[in-house]
Amino acid sequence: MDVLLHTCCAPCSIHCVDKLEELNNTPTLYWYNPNIHPYIEYENRKKALEEYSKLMGITSIFDGDYGLREFTKNVISNLDNRCEDYCYRSRLEKTAKYASENGYSAFGTTLLISPYQKHDIIKSICEEMAEKYNINFIYVDFRKGFREGQASAKELGLYMQKYCGCIFSEEERGKKS
């Protein structure tokens, strides 16, 4: 099955790609992440995904531009619920729509690998988008492979981020350390 895999970063993609291929799927990586800030972080993650894609011979699509203004405009009034109200939803909707319009059999997301993300909310949004765009959502709980994927990324020398992506998650990480 041809799967359009929304991809937040190269390290999170590694195990997801391996698992999808093991399940007889052909993933195409789909980069759409207007939530990642600041600009240097956005570029570092994008370049790492480009490097990983070339290294592994995986087709990748890079959609969208750096989205600081659009992102902040949409989350500023409700920062505590930004992930589910805008961040997840906007990226997953764009992925499902693209998959539907471009002949993919299904879509999925690397967000389902992180033990730090809101797994049930992500799954629910994906199911909603699958119905809205009449496309299959391939659900795999990738979390068991999180550490393995991170280790592989280090071995490959790929850029490893220290926070989810948005400037507010970076602030939260900084307060915890």
Side-chain angles (χ1 to χ4, degrees):
M1 181 175 351
D2 290 330
V3 177
L4 187 66
L5 183 65
H6 167 264
T7 306
C8 59
C9 62
C12 288
S13 300
I14 294 171
H15 175 74
C16 299
V17 166
D18 291 347
K19 187 68 175 173
L20 287 172
E21 288 176 342
E22 181 183 304
L23 297 169
N24 296 315
N25 296 291
T26 304
T28 295
L29 302 180
Y30 185 71
W31 168 268
Y32 176 70
N33 294 293
N35 61 305
I36 298 174
H37 312 290
Y39 184 73
I40 190 82
E41 183 71 18
Y42 179 89
E43 283 297 308
N44 285 339
R45 292 186 195 196
K46 186 177 176 188
K47 285 177 186 171
L49 186 64
E50 289 169 344
E51 182 181 337
Y52 168 68
S53 298
K54 287 177 186 168
L55 192 65
M56 305 309 286
I58 301 169
T59 302
S60 298
I61 298 164
F62 294 86
D63 191 349
D65 295 318
Y66 179 64
L68 176 63
R69 292 175 188 270
E70 188 67 20
F71 176 80
T72 53
K73 180 176 74 173
N74 282 284
V75 301
I76 198 66
S77 65
N78 192 3
L79 291 177
D80 292 335
N81 293 311
R82 69 187 180 274
C83 300
E84 69 185 84
D85 287 352
Y86 183 75
C87 187
Y88 297 152
R89 185 167 298 282
S90 64
R91 295 186 291 159
L92 297 171
E93 180 161 14
K94 181 107 174 186
T95 305
K97 184 177 186 210
Y98 188 96
S100 178
E101 291 174 350
N102 289 279
Y104 288 88
S105 303
F107 78 99
T109 180
T110 62
L111 293 171
L112 293 170
I113 196 170
S114 175
Y116 307 108
Q117 298 297 330
K118 300 171 184 177
H119 191 95
D120 292 338
I121 292 170
I122 293 165
K123 183 180 179 214
S124 176
I125 292 170
C126 285
E127 289 168 345
E128 176 188 334
M129 294 305 147
E131 187 173 321
K132 180 176 181 177
Y133 292 100
N134 194 31
I135 182 87
N136 292 315
F137 161 54
I138 186 165
Y139 172 73
V140 181
D141 185 345
F142 297 115
R143 290 178 287 191
K144 290 180 184 175
F146 180 72
R147 297 283 175 226
E148 174 188 317
Q150 299 289 299
S152 293
K154 285 180 186 172
E155 286 176 22
L156 293 170
L158 296 172
Y159 174 75
M160 301 279 293
Q161 66 273 8
K162 307 277 191 258
Y163 59 98
C164 176
C166 80
I167 199 70
F168 305 108
S169 68
E170 194 277 334
E171 176 190 40
E172 290 166 357
R173 181 197 60 87
K175 287 181 179 179
K176 289 179 185 175
S177 34

